[in-house]
Coordinates of all heavy atoms in Angstrom, one line a residue:
M1 N 183.1 107.2 26.1 CA 182.6 107.3 27.4 C 181.0 107.4 27.5 O 180.4 108.1 26.7 CB 183.2 108.6 28.2 CG 184.7 108.5 28.5 SD 185.2 109.5 29.8 CE 185.0 111.1 29.3
P2 N 180.5 106.7 28.5 CA 178.9 106.8 28.6 C 178.5 108.4 28.8 O 179.3 109.1 29.6 CB 178.7 106.0 29.9 CG 179.8 105.1 30.1 CD 181.0 105.9 29.5
V3 N 177.4 108.7 28.3 CA 176.7 110.0 28.5 C 175.6 109.9 29.4 O 174.8 109.1 29.2 CB 176.5 110.6 27.2 CG1 175.7 112.0 27.4 CG2 177.6 110.8 26.3
I4 N 175.5 110.8 30.5 CA 174.4 110.8 31.3 C 173.5 112.0 31.0 O 174.2 113.2 31.2 CB 174.7 110.9 32.8 CG1 175.6 109.6 33.1 CG2 173.5 110.8 33.6 CD1 175.1 108.2 32.9
Q5 N 172.4 111.9 30.6 CA 171.5 113.1 30.3 C 170.7 113.3 31.7 O 169.9 112.4 32.0 CB 170.6 112.9 29.2 CG 169.6 114.0 28.9 CD 170.3 115.4 28.5 OE1 171.1 115.4 27.6 NE2 170.1 116.3 29.4
V6 N 170.9 114.5 32.2 CA 170.1 114.9 33.5 C 168.9 115.7 32.9 O 169.2 116.8 32.4 CB 171.0 115.6 34.4 CG1 170.3 115.9 35.7 CG2 172.2 114.8 34.7
E7 N 167.8 115.3 33.2 CA 166.6 116.0 32.7 C 166.6 117.5 33.1 O 166.9 117.7 34.3 CB 165.3 115.3 33.4 CG 164.0 115.9 32.7 CD 162.7 115.3 33.4 OE1 162.6 115.4 34.5 OE2 162.0 114.7 32.7
G8 N 166.3 118.3 32.1 CA 166.3 119.8 32.4 C 167.7 120.3 32.7 O 167.7 121.7 32.9
R9 N 168.8 119.6 32.5 CA 170.1 120.1 32.7 C 171.0 119.6 31.6 O 170.6 119.1 30.7 CB 170.6 119.7 34.1 CG 169.6 120.2 35.2 CD 170.2 119.9 36.6 NE 169.0 120.0 37.5 CZ 169.3 120.5 38.8 NH1 170.5 120.7 39.2 NH2 168.3 120.8 39.6
Q10 N 172.3 119.8 31.9 CA 173.3 119.4 31.0 C 173.4 117.9 30.9 O 173.2 117.2 31.8 CB 174.7 120.1 31.4 CG 175.3 119.5 32.6 CD 175.0 120.0 33.9 OE1 173.8 120.4 34.1 NE2 176.0 120.3 34.8
A11 N 174.1 117.4 29.7 CA 174.4 116.0 29.6 C 175.9 115.9 30.0 O 176.6 116.9 29.7 CB 174.3 115.6 28.1
I12 N 176.2 115.0 30.7 CA 177.7 114.7 31.1 C 178.2 113.5 30.6 O 177.6 112.4 30.5 CB 177.7 114.9 32.6 CG1 176.9 113.8 33.4 CG2 177.3 116.3 33.2 CD1 177.1 113.7 34.9
E13 N 179.5 113.5 30.3 CA 180.3 112.2 30.1 C 180.9 111.7 31.3 O 181.5 112.5 32.2 CB 181.4 112.7 29.0 CG 180.9 112.9 27.6 CD 182.1 112.8 26.6 OE1 183.3 113.0 27.0 OE2 181.8 112.5 25.4
V14 N 180.7 110.5 31.4 CA 181.3 109.7 32.7 C 182.1 108.7 32.3 O 181.9 107.8 31.4 CB 180.0 109.2 33.5 CG1 180.4 108.5 34.8 CG2 179.0 110.3 33.7
E15 N 183.2 108.5 33.1 CA 184.1 107.5 33.1 C 183.4 106.1 33.3 O 182.7 106.1 34.4 CB 185.2 107.7 33.9 CG 186.4 106.7 33.9 CD 187.5 107.1 35.0 OE1 187.6 108.3 35.4 OE2 188.1 106.2 35.5
E16 N 183.5 105.0 32.6 CA 182.8 104.0 32.8 C 183.2 103.2 34.2 O 184.3 103.2 34.4 CB 183.1 102.9 31.6 CG 182.1 101.6 31.7 CD 182.3 100.9 30.5 OE1 182.6 101.4 29.4 OE2 182.1 99.7 30.6
G17 N 182.2 102.8 34.9 CA 182.5 102.2 36.2 C 182.5 103.3 37.3 O 182.5 102.8 38.5
K18 N 182.4 104.5 37.1 CA 182.3 105.5 38.1 C 180.9 105.6 38.8 O 180.0 105.4 38.1 CB 182.7 107.0 37.5 CG 182.7 108.0 38.7 CD 183.3 109.2 38.0 CE 183.6 110.3 39.1 NZ 184.3 111.5 38.5
K19 N 180.9 105.8 40.1 CA 179.7 105.9 40.8 C 178.9 107.1 40.3 O 179.4 108.0 40.0 CB 180.0 106.0 42.3 CG 180.3 104.8 43.0 CD 180.3 105.1 44.6 CE 180.8 103.8 45.2 NZ 181.0 104.1 46.7
L20 N 177.6 106.8 40.0 CA 176.8 107.8 39.5 C 176.8 109.1 40.3 O 176.8 110.3 39.8 CB 175.4 107.3 39.3 CG 174.3 108.3 38.6 CD1 174.9 108.8 37.3 CD2 172.9 107.5 38.4
V21 N 176.6 108.9 41.6 CA 176.5 110.0 42.5 C 177.8 111.0 42.4 O 177.7 112.2 42.4 CB 176.3 109.6 44.0 CG1 177.6 108.9 44.6 CG2 176.0 110.8 44.9
L22 N 179.0 110.4 42.4 CA 180.2 111.1 42.1 C 180.3 111.9 40.9 O 180.8 112.9 40.7 CB 181.4 110.2 42.4 CG 181.5 109.6 43.8 CD1 182.7 108.7 43.9 CD2 181.6 110.6 44.8
A23 N 179.9 111.0 39.8 CA 179.9 111.6 38.4 C 179.0 112.9 38.4 O 179.4 113.9 37.9 CB 179.4 110.7 37.4
L24 N 177.9 112.8 39.0 CA 177.1 113.9 39.0 C 177.6 115.1 39.8 O 177.7 116.4 39.4 CB 175.6 113.6 39.6 CG 174.8 112.6 38.7 CD1 173.6 112.1 39.6 CD2 174.5 113.3 37.5
E25 N 178.1 114.8 41.0 CA 178.7 115.9 41.8 C 179.9 116.5 41.2 O 180.1 117.8 41.2 CB 179.1 115.3 43.2 CG 179.6 116.3 44.1 CD 179.7 115.8 45.6 OE1 180.6 115.2 45.9 OE2 178.7 116.1 46.3
D26 N 180.8 115.7 40.6 CA 182.0 116.2 40.0 C 181.8 117.1 38.8 O 182.5 117.9 38.3 CB 182.9 115.1 39.6 CG 183.4 114.4 40.9 OD1 183.3 114.8 41.9 OD2 184.0 113.3 40.6
E27 N 180.5 117.0 38.2 CA 180.1 117.9 37.0 C 179.3 119.0 37.7 O 178.6 119.8 36.8 CB 179.4 117.1 36.1 CG 180.3 116.1 35.3 CD 181.3 116.7 34.5 OE1 181.1 117.9 33.9 OE2 182.3 116.1 34.3
G28 N 179.1 119.2 38.9 CA 178.5 120.4 39.4 C 177.0 120.3 39.4 O 176.3 121.2 39.7
V29 N 176.5 119.0 39.4 CA 175.1 118.8 39.6 C 174.7 118.8 41.0 O 175.5 118.2 41.8 CB 174.6 117.5 38.9 CG1 173.1 117.2 39.1 CG2 174.9 117.4 37.4
D30 N 173.6 119.5 41.3 CA 173.2 119.6 42.6 C 172.8 118.3 43.2 O 171.7 117.9 42.8 CB 172.1 120.7 42.7 CG 171.3 120.9 44.1 OD1 171.7 120.1 45.1 OD2 170.4 121.8 44.1
M31 N 173.5 117.7 44.0 CA 173.2 116.4 44.5 C 173.4 116.0 45.9 O 174.4 116.4 46.5 CB 174.3 115.5 43.7 CG 174.1 114.0 43.6 SD 172.6 113.8 42.6 CE 171.9 112.3 43.3
L32 N 172.2 115.5 46.5 CA 172.4 115.1 47.8 C 172.9 113.7 48.0 O 172.7 112.8 47.2 CB 170.9 115.1 48.5 CG 170.4 116.5 49.1 CD1 169.1 116.3 49.4 CD2 171.2 116.8 50.2
H33 N 173.6 113.4 49.2 CA 174.2 112.2 49.5 C 174.3 112.3 51.1 O 175.6 112.2 51.5 CB 175.4 111.7 48.7 CG 176.4 112.8 48.6 ND1 177.3 113.1 49.6 CD2 176.8 113.6 47.6 CE1 178.1 114.1 49.3 NE2 177.8 114.4 47.9
R34 N 173.3 112.3 51.7 CA 173.3 112.7 53.3 C 174.3 111.5 54.0 O 174.8 111.9 55.0 CB 172.0 112.7 53.9 CG 171.3 113.8 53.2 CD 171.5 115.1 53.9 NE 171.0 115.2 55.2 CZ 171.2 116.2 56.0 NH1 172.0 117.1 55.8 NH2 170.7 116.2 57.3
C35 N 174.1 110.3 53.6 CA 174.7 109.2 54.4 C 176.3 108.9 54.0 O 176.8 107.9 54.4 CB 173.9 107.9 54.5 SG 173.9 107.0 53.0
G36 N 176.6 109.7 52.9 CA 178.1 109.5 52.6 C 178.3 108.2 51.6 O 179.2 107.7 51.5
G37 N 177.0 107.8 51.0 CA 177.0 106.8 49.9 C 177.0 105.4 50.5 O 177.6 104.5 49.9
N38 N 176.4 105.3 51.8 CA 176.3 103.8 52.4 C 174.9 103.3 52.2 O 174.8 102.4 53.2 CB 176.8 104.2 53.9 CG 178.2 104.6 54.0 OD1 179.0 103.7 53.5 ND2 178.5 105.7 54.5
A39 N 174.3 103.6 51.4 CA 172.8 103.0 51.1 C 172.0 103.0 52.4 O 171.4 102.0 52.8 CB 173.2 101.5 50.7
R40 N 171.9 104.1 53.1 CA 171.1 104.2 54.3 C 170.1 105.4 54.2 O 168.9 105.2 54.7 CB 171.9 104.5 55.4 CG 172.9 103.3 55.9 CD 173.1 103.4 57.4 NE 173.9 104.6 57.7 CZ 175.3 104.7 57.6 NH1 175.9 103.6 57.7 NH2 175.9 105.7 58.0
C41 N 170.4 106.5 53.4 CA 169.5 107.7 53.6 C 168.4 107.8 52.4 O 167.5 108.5 52.6 CB 170.4 108.9 53.5 SG 171.3 109.2 52.0
T42 N 168.8 107.3 51.3 CA 168.1 107.3 50.0 C 168.0 108.9 49.4 O 167.3 109.0 48.4 CB 166.5 106.9 50.2 OG1 165.7 107.8 50.9 CG2 166.5 105.4 50.8
T43 N 168.6 109.8 50.0 CA 168.6 111.1 49.5 C 169.3 111.2 48.1 O 169.1 112.2 47.4 CB 169.3 112.2 50.5 OG1 170.6 111.8 50.7 CG2 168.4 112.3 51.7
C44 N 170.1 110.2 47.7 CA 170.8 110.3 46.5 C 170.0 109.7 45.4 O 170.5 109.5 44.2 CB 172.1 109.6 46.6 SG 172.0 107.8 46.7
A45 N 168.7 109.2 45.7 CA 168.0 108.4 44.6 C 167.7 109.4 43.4 O 167.6 110.4 43.5 CB 166.8 108.1 45.3
V46 N 167.8 108.7 42.3 CA 167.4 109.3 41.1 C 166.3 108.4 40.4 O 166.3 107.2 40.7 CB 168.6 109.6 40.1 CG1 169.6 110.5 40.6 CG2 169.2 108.2 39.7
E47 N 165.6 108.9 39.4 CA 164.8 108.1 38.6 C 165.5 107.9 37.2 O 165.8 108.8 36.6 CB 163.4 108.9 38.3 CG 162.4 108.0 37.6 CD 161.0 108.6 37.5 OE1 160.8 109.7 38.1 OE2 160.3 107.9 36.8
V48 N 165.7 106.6 36.9 CA 166.2 106.3 35.6 C 165.2 106.2 34.6 O 164.3 105.5 34.5 CB 167.0 104.9 35.7 CG1 167.6 104.6 34.3 CG2 168.0 105.0 36.7
L49 N 165.2 107.2 33.6 CA 164.2 107.4 32.6 C 164.5 106.5 31.4 O 163.6 106.1 30.7 CB 164.2 108.9 32.1 CG 163.8 109.8 33.3 CD1 164.0 111.2 32.7 CD2 162.5 109.6 33.9
A50 N 165.8 106.2 31.1 CA 166.3 105.4 30.0 C 167.7 105.0 30.2 O 168.4 105.6 31.0 CB 166.2 106.3 28.6
G51 N 167.8 103.7 29.7 CA 169.4 103.3 30.0 C 169.2 102.2 31.0 O 168.2 102.1 31.7
D52 N 170.4 101.5 31.2 CA 170.6 100.5 32.1 C 171.4 100.9 33.3 O 172.6 101.2 33.1 CB 171.1 99.3 31.4 CG 171.1 98.0 32.3 OD1 170.7 98.1 33.4 OD2 171.7 96.9 31.9
A53 N 170.9 100.8 34.5 CA 171.5 101.2 35.7 C 172.2 100.0 36.4 O 173.0 100.2 37.4 CB 170.6 101.9 36.7
G54 N 172.2 98.9 35.7 CA 172.9 97.7 36.2 C 172.1 96.9 37.3 O 171.1 97.3 37.7
E55 N 172.7 95.7 37.7 CA 172.1 95.0 38.8 C 172.0 95.7 40.1 O 173.0 96.5 40.4 CB 172.9 93.7 38.9 CG 172.7 92.8 37.6 CD 171.6 92.0 37.7 OE1 171.1 91.6 38.7 OE2 171.0 92.1 36.4
M56 N 171.1 95.5 40.9 CA 171.0 96.0 42.1 C 171.7 95.1 43.2 O 171.4 94.0 43.2 CB 169.4 96.2 42.5 CG 169.2 97.1 43.5 SD 167.4 97.3 44.0 CE 166.9 97.8 42.3
G57 N 172.6 95.6 43.9 CA 173.3 95.0 45.0 C 172.5 94.7 46.1 O 171.4 95.3 46.4
E58 N 172.9 94.0 47.1 CA 172.1 93.7 48.4 C 172.0 94.9 49.3 O 170.9 95.1 49.8 CB 173.0 92.7 49.3 CG 172.9 91.2 48.8 CD 173.6 90.4 49.6 OE1 173.7 90.6 50.8 OE2 174.1 89.3 49.0
A59 N 172.9 95.8 49.3 CA 172.7 96.9 50.2 C 171.7 97.8 49.7 O 170.8 98.3 50.5 CB 174.1 97.7 50.3
E60 N 171.7 98.0 48.3 CA 170.6 98.9 47.8 C 169.2 98.3 47.9 O 168.3 99.0 48.3 CB 170.9 99.2 46.3 CG 169.8 100.1 45.7 CD 170.1 100.5 44.3 OE1 171.1 100.0 43.7 OE2 169.4 101.3 43.7
A61 N 169.1 97.0 47.6 CA 167.9 96.2 47.8 C 167.3 96.3 49.1 O 166.1 96.6 49.5 CB 168.0 94.7 47.3
A62 N 168.3 96.2 50.2 CA 167.8 96.1 51.5 C 167.3 97.6 51.9 O 166.4 97.6 52.6 CB 168.9 95.7 52.4
C63 N 168.0 98.7 51.5 CA 167.6 99.9 51.9 C 166.3 100.4 51.3 O 165.5 101.0 51.8 CB 168.7 100.9 51.4 SG 168.4 102.7 51.7
R64 N 166.2 99.9 50.0 CA 164.9 100.2 49.3 C 163.7 99.6 50.1 O 162.7 100.2 50.2 CB 164.9 99.6 47.9 CG 165.9 100.4 47.0 CD 166.1 99.7 45.7 NE 164.9 99.2 45.1 CZ 164.2 99.9 44.2 NH1 164.7 101.1 43.6 NH2 163.1 99.6 43.7
E65 N 163.9 98.3 50.4 CA 162.8 97.6 51.1 C 162.5 98.3 52.5 O 161.3 98.4 52.7 CB 163.2 96.2 51.4 CG 162.2 95.3 51.9 CD 162.5 93.9 52.3 OE1 163.4 93.5 51.4 OE2 161.9 93.3 53.0
K66 N 163.6 98.6 53.2 CA 163.4 99.3 54.5 C 162.7 100.7 54.4 O 161.8 101.0 55.2 CB 164.7 99.6 55.1 CG 164.8 100.0 56.5 CD 166.2 100.1 57.1 CE 166.1 100.7 58.5 NZ 167.6 100.9 58.9
K67 N 162.9 101.4 53.4 CA 162.4 102.7 53.1 C 161.1 102.7 52.3 O 160.5 103.7 52.0 CB 163.4 103.6 52.4 CG 164.7 103.8 53.2 CD 164.5 104.8 54.2 CE 165.9 105.2 55.0 NZ 165.7 106.1 56.1
G68 N 160.7 101.4 51.8 CA 159.5 101.4 51.1 C 159.5 101.9 49.7 O 158.6 102.4 49.1
I69 N 160.7 101.9 49.1 CA 160.8 102.3 47.7 C 160.4 101.0 46.7 O 161.1 100.1 46.8 CB 162.2 102.8 47.4 CG1 162.5 104.0 48.2 CG2 162.4 103.0 45.8 CD1 164.0 104.5 48.1
E70 N 159.4 101.2 46.1 CA 159.0 100.1 45.2 C 159.1 100.3 43.7 O 159.2 99.4 42.9 CB 157.5 99.8 45.3 CG 157.3 99.4 46.9 CD 155.7 99.0 47.1 OE1 155.0 99.3 46.4 OE2 155.5 98.5 48.3
N71 N 159.3 101.6 43.2 CA 159.5 101.9 41.9 C 160.7 101.3 41.3 O 161.8 101.8 41.8 CB 159.4 103.4 41.6 CG 159.4 103.8 40.1 OD1 159.8 103.0 39.3 ND2 159.1 105.0 39.9
P72 N 160.7 100.4 40.5 CA 162.1 99.9 39.9 C 162.9 100.8 39.2 O 164.1 100.7 39.1 CB 161.6 98.8 39.0 CG 160.2 99.1 38.6 CD 159.6 99.8 39.7
S73 N 162.4 102.0 38.7 CA 163.2 103.0 38.1 C 163.9 103.9 39.1 O 164.8 104.6 38.7 CB 162.3 103.8 37.2 OG 161.6 103.0 36.3
T74 N 163.5 103.9 40.4 CA 164.2 104.6 41.4 C 165.4 103.9 41.9 O 165.4 102.7 42.4 CB 163.3 105.0 42.6 OG1 162.1 105.6 42.0 CG2 163.9 105.8 43.5
R75 N 166.6 104.6 41.7 CA 167.8 103.8 42.1 C 168.7 104.8 43.0 O 168.7 106.0 42.8 CB 168.5 103.4 40.8 CG 168.0 102.4 39.9 CD 167.9 101.1 40.6 NE 169.1 100.6 41.0 CZ 169.9 99.8 40.2 NH1 169.5 99.4 39.0 NH2 171.0 99.4 40.7
L76 N 169.5 104.2 43.8 CA 170.3 105.0 44.6 C 171.6 105.3 43.8 O 172.3 104.4 43.5 CB 170.7 104.1 45.9 CG 169.5 103.8 46.9 CD1 170.0 103.0 48.2 CD2 168.6 104.9 47.1
S77 N 171.8 106.5 43.6 CA 172.9 106.8 42.7 C 174.3 106.5 43.4 O 175.3 106.4 42.7 CB 173.0 108.2 42.2 OG 173.1 109.1 43.4
C78 N 174.3 106.4 44.7 CA 175.6 105.9 45.2 C 175.9 104.4 45.2 O 177.0 104.0 45.5 CB 175.6 106.3 46.9 SG 174.4 105.3 47.9
Q79 N 175.0 103.8 44.7 CA 175.0 102.3 44.5 C 175.2 101.9 43.0 O 175.3 100.7 42.7 CB 173.9 101.5 45.1 CG 173.9 101.9 46.6 CD 175.1 101.4 47.5 OE1 175.5 100.3 47.4 NE2 175.6 102.4 48.2
V80 N 175.1 102.9 42.2 CA 175.1 102.6 40.7 C 176.4 103.0 40.2 O 177.0 104.1 40.3 CB 174.0 103.4 39.9 CG1 174.2 103.3 38.5 CG2 172.6 103.0 40.4
R81 N 177.1 102.0 39.4 CA 178.4 102.3 38.7 C 177.8 102.4 37.2 O 177.3 101.5 36.7 CB 179.3 101.1 38.9 CG 179.9 101.2 40.3 CD 181.2 100.7 40.5 NE 181.6 100.7 41.9 CZ 182.5 101.7 42.3 NH1 182.9 102.6 41.5 NH2 182.7 101.7 43.6
V82 N 178.1 103.6 36.7 CA 177.8 103.8 35.3 C 178.5 102.8 34.3 O 179.6 102.7 34.2 CB 178.2 105.2 34.9 CG1 177.8 105.5 33.4 CG2 177.5 106.3 35.8
Q83 N 177.5 102.2 33.5 CA 178.0 101.2 32.5 C 177.7 101.6 31.0 O 178.4 101.2 30.1 CB 177.4 99.8 32.8 CG 177.7 99.3 34.1 CD 179.2 99.0 34.4 OE1 179.9 98.6 33.4 NE2 179.5 99.2 35.6
G84 N 176.8 102.5 31.1 CA 176.4 102.9 29.6 C 175.5 104.2 29.6 O 175.3 104.8 30.7
D85 N 175.1 104.6 28.5 CA 174.3 105.8 28.4 C 173.0 105.6 29.4 O 172.4 104.7 29.3 CB 173.9 106.1 27.1 CG 175.0 106.6 26.1 OD1 176.2 106.7 26.7 OD2 174.9 106.6 24.9
M86 N 172.7 106.7 30.0 CA 171.5 106.9 30.7 C 170.8 108.2 30.7 O 171.5 109.2 30.5 CB 171.7 106.6 32.3 CG 171.8 105.1 32.5 SD 171.8 104.8 34.4 CE 173.4 105.5 34.9
S87 N 169.5 108.2 31.0 CA 168.8 109.4 31.1 C 168.2 109.4 32.4 O 167.5 108.4 32.8 CB 167.7 109.6 30.0 OG 167.0 110.7 30.2
I88 N 168.4 110.5 33.3 CA 167.9 110.4 34.7 C 167.2 111.7 35.0 O 167.3 112.7 34.4 CB 169.1 110.2 35.6 CG1 170.1 111.4 35.7 CG2 169.8 108.8 35.3 CD1 171.0 111.3 36.9
R89 N 166.4 111.5 36.1 CA 165.6 112.7 36.7 C 166.0 112.8 38.2 O 166.0 111.8 38.9 CB 164.2 112.5 36.5 CG 163.2 113.5 37.2 CD 161.8 113.2 37.2 NE 161.4 113.3 35.8 CZ 160.3 112.7 35.2 NH1 159.9 111.6 36.0 NH2 160.1 112.7 33.9
L90 N 166.4 114.0 38.5 CA 166.8 114.2 40.0 C 165.6 114.2 40.8 O 164.5 114.6 40.4 CB 167.5 115.5 40.2 CG 168.8 115.7 39.3 CD1 169.4 117.0 39.6 CD2 169.9 114.5 39.7
I91 N 165.6 113.8 42.1 CA 164.5 113.7 43.0 C 164.6 114.7 44.0 O 163.8 115.6 44.1 CB 164.2 112.2 43.5 CG1 164.0 111.3 42.2 CG2 163.0 112.2 44.4 CD1 163.8 109.7 42.8
K92 N 165.6 114.6 44.8 CA 165.8 115.6 45.9 C 167.2 116.2 45.5 O 168.2 115.5 45.2 CB 165.9 114.8 47.3 CG 164.7 114.3 47.8 CD 164.9 113.6 49.1 CE 163.5 113.0 49.6 NZ 163.8 112.3 50.8
T93 N 167.1 117.5 45.7 CA 168.5 118.2 45.6 C 168.7 119.1 46.7 O 167.9 119.3 47.6 CB 168.4 119.1 44.3 OG1 167.3 120.2 44.5 CG2 168.0 118.3 43.0
I94 N 170.0 119.6 46.7 CA 170.3 120.5 47.9 C 169.4 121.7 47.8 O 168.8 122.2 48.8 CB 171.8 121.0 47.7 CG1 172.6 119.7 47.9 CG2 172.0 122.0 48.7 CD1 174.1 119.9 47.4
E95 N 169.1 122.3 46.5 CA 168.3 123.5 46.4 C 166.8 123.2 46.8 O 166.3 124.0 47.5 CB 168.3 123.8 44.9 CG 167.6 125.3 44.7 CD 167.7 125.5 43.1 OE1 168.2 125.0 42.4 OE2 167.1 126.6 43.0
S96 N 166.3 122.0 46.4 CA 164.9 121.7 46.7 C 164.6 121.3 48.2 O 163.6 121.6 48.7 CB 164.3 120.6 45.8 OG 164.9 119.4 46.2
T97 N 165.6 120.9 48.9 CA 165.4 120.6 50.2 C 166.0 121.5 51.2 O 165.5 121.4 52.4 CB 166.0 119.0 50.5 OG1 167.5 119.2 50.4 CG2 165.4 118.0 49.6
G98 N 167.0 122.1 50.8 CA 167.7 122.9 51.8 C 168.6 122.3 52.8 O 169.2 122.7 53.6
L99 N 168.8 120.9 52.4 CA 169.7 120.2 53.2 C 171.2 120.3 52.7 O 171.4 120.5 51.6 CB 169.2 118.7 53.1 CG 167.9 118.4 53.7 CD1 167.4 116.9 53.4 CD2 167.9 118.5 55.3
E100 N 172.1 119.9 53.6 CA 173.4 119.9 53.2 C 173.8 118.4 52.8 O 173.3 117.5 53.4 CB 174.3 120.3 54.5 CG 174.3 121.7 54.9 CD 174.9 122.6 53.9 OE1 176.0 122.3 53.3 OE2 174.3 123.8 53.7
P101 N 174.7 118.3 51.7 CA 175.2 116.8 51.5 C 175.9 116.4 52.5 O 176.6 117.1 53.2 CB 175.9 117.1 50.2 CG 176.3 118.6 50.2 CD 175.2 119.3 50.9
G102 N 176.0 115.1 52.7 CA 176.9 114.6 53.7 C 178.3 114.3 53.1 O 178.7 114.9 52.1
P103 N 179.2 113.5 53.8 CA 180.5 113.4 53.3 C 180.6 112.8 51.9 O 179.7 112.0 51.5 CB 181.2 112.5 54.3 CG 180.1 111.8 55.0 CD 179.0 112.7 55.0
R104 N 181.7 113.0 51.2 CA 181.8 112.5 49.8 C 181.8 111.0 50.0 O 182.6 110.4 50.6 CB 183.1 113.1 49.2 CG 183.2 112.5 47.8 CD 184.4 113.3 47.2 NE 184.8 112.7 45.9 CZ 184.3 113.0 44.7 NH1 183.3 114.0 44.7 NH2 184.7 112.5 43.6
P105 N 180.9 110.3 49.1 CA 181.0 109.0 49.0 C 182.4 108.4 48.5 O 183.0 109.1 47.9 CB 179.9 108.5 48.0 CG 179.0 109.7 48.1 CD 179.8 110.8 48.3
Q106 N 182.8 107.2 48.9 CA 184.0 106.7 48.6 C 183.9 106.4 47.0 O 182.9 106.3 46.4 CB 184.3 105.2 49.3 CG 184.6 105.4 50.7 CD 185.1 104.2 51.3 OE1 184.7 103.1 50.8 NE2 185.9 104.3 52.3
E107 N 185.2 106.5 46.4 CA 185.2 106.2 44.9 C 184.7 104.9 44.5 O 184.9 103.9 45.2 CB 186.7 106.4 44.5 CG 187.2 107.7 44.7 CD 186.6 108.8 43.7 OE1 186.4 108.5 42.6 OE2 186.4 109.9 44.3
Ligands
FES201 S1 171.7 106.2 50.2 FE1 172.7 107.8 51.3 S2 174.0 108.6 49.8 FE2 173.0 107.0 48.8

């Protein structure tokens, strides 16, 4: 199974094809997803430090453009399906923002 290394935290094993945001949440990682995984809020964004987060879909590309996200390493974890090992850095967390996560994204 692919392994995701979260900077400064634990490494987690993830079922291939699982949404990154759900993999992180299910392993107890403090993870925001305010819009419920619909590529609208960007609170689920992570920085991909190593590994391949896969092709970017239309919804993610449109949201990035609308929100002015230009860094190619910044990916919306609700739009990434894990295909292989990755190393990531969290950007916004529940703890750092004081925000509540939204509804659980669909599988
Ligand atoms: S963009 Fe809102 S949860 Fe991913």
